[in-house]
Amino acid sequence: MGKAKAKAKQLKGTMQETAGRVTGDPKREARGHAEKLAGKAQEAASKVKKLGK
């Protein structure tokens, strides 16, 4: 997965996390946080993959 898709996933997670916090929905907030972290992991993997080339 490319860096742009990873950044998009981070943004989506941040938005979902914020929406959960604003609406008082802890499950939505947790899902957003998890998605944001997954995006960060994908971005890191993309960087490692790029260094290996």
Side-chain angles (χ1 to χ4, degrees):
M1 186 171 281
K3 186 177 177 182
K5 286 185 179 182
K7 284 287 190 184
K9 192 167 194 161
Q10 287 180 44
L11 177 62
K12 182 180 173 190
T14 300
M15 290 170 43
Q16 193 172 27
E17 185 179 15
T18 302
R21 193 173 301 131
V22 168
T23 61
D25 185 353
K27 287 183 181 179
R28 186 174 188 183
E29 184 178 351
R31 283 193 307 267
H33 185 72
E35 187 160 357
K36 183 171 66 171
L37 292 177
K40 286 183 180 187
Q42 287 174 348
E43 183 180 8
S46 174
K47 287 179 183 179
V48 169
K49 186 176 178 182
K50 186 177 178 182
L51 289 175
K53 288 186 177 183

